[in-house]
Amino acid sequence: MNIGIIGGGMMGLALAYRLSQEGHKITVFESNKQLGGLTTHYDYGPFVWDRFYHVILPSDKDLINFIKEIGLGDKLRWRPTLTGCYIDQKLYSISNTIEFLRFPPLTLIGKMRLAITLLYGSRIKNWLKLEKIPVEDWLLKLSGRNTYEKLWKPLLLAKVGENYKRVSAVFIWAYIKRLFSARDSSLHKEQLGYVEGGYKTVFDQLEKLISAAGGNICTGATVEYIAPCAEGGMWIEHNGVKEHFDKAIFTGPVNLLQHITAPDLVNVAGTSDKVEYLGVICMALITRKPLVPYYVVNLADQRIPFTGVIGMSNLVALKETAGLHITYFPKYIHFKDPLFQKSDDELLKMFFQGLRLIFPDINTDDIVVAHINRATKIQPLQVLNYSKLVPKIATEHEDFLILNNSQFVSDTLNNNTVVHHVNEFMKKSFL
Ligand SMILES: Cc1cc2nc3c(=O)[nH]c(=O)nc-3n(C[C@H](O)[C@H](O)[C@H](O)COP(=O)(O)OP(=O)(O)OC[C@H]3O[C@@H](n4cnc5c(N)ncnc54)[C@H](O)[C@@H]3O)c2cc1C
């Protein structure tokens, strides 16, 4: 079958690979000049690495199996890492049980309530009831004010920014679930992973395998219109060119769908415009010396514009980054936040002011370069009752299919979930 896939991110390419292995002729259309979507790479000058930080958990079984299946098992690297927390203008390590028990900002009762929250949360099966509860209320009730203010709030801010006030308890439940499955995993306990060469290695390999199976990958190709063909199959229009396919599969953001499909092609119960997206502005700083010994530091400090410090070089071997250190500083915001209108220079100035507050001794000679990367649509915001809000998209045509991350109603967005959804999609044999 001749199949057109819209979107060359992890979802589109994993799907393209799986379908091409089943003997279909695949064409992938990707708007950007390079593949990868949010998982794409960036040329930092001295080296190339992921545009945004990505880590593989030992429990990411679907993803790890996929990486092995495409022949990159020997490129997987695992390393023990540390976790930090910046509270009341101090950096703490909370990387093991002893450090956690000693962690001064939490009272003993606070620590016990945290343990209960984690245990209780990890055992919940019926997540739908959590959708009605604001995450803040749920955490305050279970963990208490002290633990909420010192630990949960910084984490929420680190993950969704100020939007946490509107997010449901499902969000943190999915996070706890992922955290617990990582701890249960016997393989590579307490270690985090990456692929040598970053996700570029994964996308280069996928492109090679899809092409070898007779597929086409078109970058710089924005799909503008998808319409049914009277004789069967679908038309996909991009850059003014119209191509015919037996089937078309859309993997882009849901709120784009209605704007590029023929009337009546999709039946969206509710409106996809109601889906609000989470965006991110992320500074990547390249330095000669490490800034922190941690892979991740969560922080919630009103004076500081970013909500996390990701010491990528504490995970990734220095030979990957030309002997230099890469640290990411994310700020998660609503996709319509006016901050997106600011220039890179304005944002760099803002982020550097925050940087100097945490690292007052930072030597400018140690800074090689700083970049601002941004993405307006990372994932739908899991607001209250999201599963009812998410448009029930029924494609009205058997030759048009949709698979995208707005359908993750009870999962966090990560590449393991993406591969899992692709695997599930392949099991339903509608092709
Ligand atoms: C800051 C950050 C940190 C992250 N950290 C991790 C992590 O540690 N571990 C992890 O596993 N995951 C992480 N993720 C999540 C990971 O990046 C996503 O799981 C993944 O990128 C989702 O892939 P996707 O294909 O669903 O979506 P996307 O990557 O958004 O891909 C969709 C693609 O469709 C294309 N497209 C849209 N419209 C059109 C059109 N009309 N025509 C043609 N092409 C179109 C877009 O250009 C895009 O390339 C992180 C993400 C971010 C932003």
Side-chain angles (χ1 to χ4, degrees):
M1 217 179 266
N2 194 9
I3 302 172
I5 294 180
I6 299 102
M10 191 66 188
M11 186 86 90
L13 278 229
L15 185 63
Y17 165 74
R18 289 245 178 276
L19 289 169
S20 64
Q21 295 308 297
E22 291 204 344
H24 300 291
K25 184 172 180 336
I26 304 300
T27 304
V28 176
F29 297 101
E30 168 53 49
S31 318
N32 291 322
K33 290 208 178 73
Q34 62 190 40
L35 292 172
L38 291 171
T39 321
T40 201
H41 60 273
Y42 188 81
D43 187 347
Y44 289 98
F47 60 89
V48 169
W49 196 255
D50 299 0
R51 181 189 293 268
F52 297 112
Y53 49 95
H54 284 87
V55 66
I56 302 172
L57 301 187
S59 55
D60 286 346
K61 296 218 169 68
D62 290 297
L63 178 62
I64 295 169
N65 288 339
F66 184 73
I67 290 170
K68 288 180 179 164
E69 189 186 323
I70 62 172
L72 297 177
D74 63 337
K75 299 235 179 277
L76 269 167
R77 296 283 170 269
W78 298 96
R79 200 163 160 189
T81 53
L82 304 175
T83 302
C85 201
Y86 183 79
I87 296 182
D88 303 331
Q89 299 176 39
K90 263 195 203 149
L91 263 171
Y92 297 94
S93 178
I94 42 168
S95 308
N96 56 44
T97 316
I98 294 172
E99 279 178 355
F100 176 70
L101 288 171
R102 283 196 193 131
F103 186 48
L106 289 196
T107 60
L108 187 61
I109 291 178
K111 283 169 192 158
M112 281 159 66
R113 290 186 74 171
L114 175 68
I116 291 167
T117 311
L118 293 174
L119 202 66
Y120 173 70
S122 67
R123 292 189 175 182
I124 292 177
K125 296 272 179 291
N126 178 13
W127 55 269
L128 269 171
K129 66 177 183 189
L130 299 179
E131 266 204 339
K132 300 179 188 70
I133 311 169
V135 67
E136 187 172 32
D137 292 0
W138 192 71
L139 289 171
L140 274 171
K141 191 172 161 207
L142 286 170
S143 291
R145 175 69 58 190
N146 168 256
T147 309
Y148 176 75
E149 290 294 339
K150 302 290 180 192
L151 213 102
W152 287 120
K153 195 171 162 190
L155 186 81
L156 289 175
L157 278 164
K159 298 283 169 197
V160 289
E162 290 293 334
N163 299 291
Y164 76 88
K165 291 169 193 146
R166 297 171 47 235
V167 162
S168 85
V170 172
F171 176 81
I172 209 73
W173 167 79
Y175 181 83
I176 292 174
K177 194 174 58 145
R178 191 160 193 252
L179 191 91
F180 259 74
S181 60
R183 294 207 169 250
D184 284 352
S185 175
S186 53
L187 187 74
H188 311 298
K189 219 165 187 168
E190 308 298 330
Q191 302 201 27
L192 298 178
Y194 67 97
V195 175
E196 223 180 80
Y199 264 99
K200 184 176 186 305
T201 307
V202 175
F203 286 101
D204 286 351
Q205 179 77 347
L206 284 171
E207 184 170 12
K208 201 170 105 190
L209 295 172
I210 295 162
S211 304
N216 293 321
I217 304 227
C218 312
T219 49
T222 299
V223 170
E224 289 132 10
Y225 202 55
I226 308 165
C229 169
E231 288 77 39
M234 303 296 299
W235 290 113
I236 293 185
E237 214 176 304
H238 62 94
N239 308 42
V241 185
K242 207 166 140 184
E243 282 189 63
H244 181 266
F245 292 91
D246 300 318
K247 304 263 180 199
I249 310 177
F250 179 83
T251 71
V254 67
N255 54 4
L256 185 75
L257 195 57
Q258 280 171 309
H259 302 287
I260 62 162
T261 48
D264 304 329
L265 184 56
V266 284
N267 174 12
V268 182
T271 160
S272 57
D273 288 337
K274 271 198 187 147
V275 174
E276 295 175 64
Y277 272 79
L278 187 65
V280 71
I281 293 178
C282 186
M283 176 171 81
L285 188 71
I286 319 298
T287 52
R288 286 178 231 285
K289 288 187 188 148
L291 288 180
V292 283
Y294 311 104
Y295 172 69
V296 61
V297 178
N298 293 323
L299 61 98
D301 187 319
Q302 296 300 333
R303 305 165 309 147
I304 296 170
F306 43 85
T307 50
V309 178
I310 316 294
M312 199 72 208
S313 299
N314 297 310
L315 169 64
V316 169
L318 280 185
K319 68 174 170 65
E320 300 278 358
T321 51
L324 299 168
H325 295 260
I326 177 163
T327 311
Y328 296 89
F329 298 84
K331 179 170 180 67
Y332 289 90
I333 47 177
H334 192 268
F335 72 135
K336 291 188 176 158
D337 195 299
L339 215 53
F340 276 122
Q341 309 310 322
K342 293 212 180 286
S343 68
D344 284 2
D345 284 347
E346 287 172 301
L347 291 169
L348 281 174
K349 198 172 158 204
M350 206 175 108
F351 275 55
F352 264 79
Q353 278 164 1
L355 188 74
R356 290 212 169 82
L357 288 174
I358 309 187
F359 309 105
D361 302 329
I362 192 165
N363 183 346
T364 25
D365 290 346
D366 285 337
I367 299 173
V368 178
V369 70
H371 292 273
I372 291 288
N373 290 317
R374 38 179 122 202
T376 46
K377 287 179 192 155
I378 307 177
Q379 70 178 112
L381 207 53
Q382 281 166 335
V383 291
L384 292 178
N385 299 310
Y386 176 69
S387 75
K388 294 184 189 63
L389 230 191
V390 64
K392 303 282 178 292
I393 312 163
T395 88
E396 297 290 298
H397 200 287
E398 58 177 11
D399 296 332
F400 182 57
L401 304 158
I402 298 157
L403 176 68
N404 66 13
N405 59 48
S406 69
Q407 291 153 12
F408 301 178
V409 287
S410 61
D411 281 307
T412 57
L413 176 71
N414 56 71
N415 285 330
N416 185 61
T417 313
V418 167
V419 174
H420 178 76
H421 278 254
V422 169
N423 293 348
E424 291 300 306
F425 183 86
M426 294 300 294
K427 283 185 200 156
K428 303 174 197 152
S429 54
F430 27 36
L431 293 175

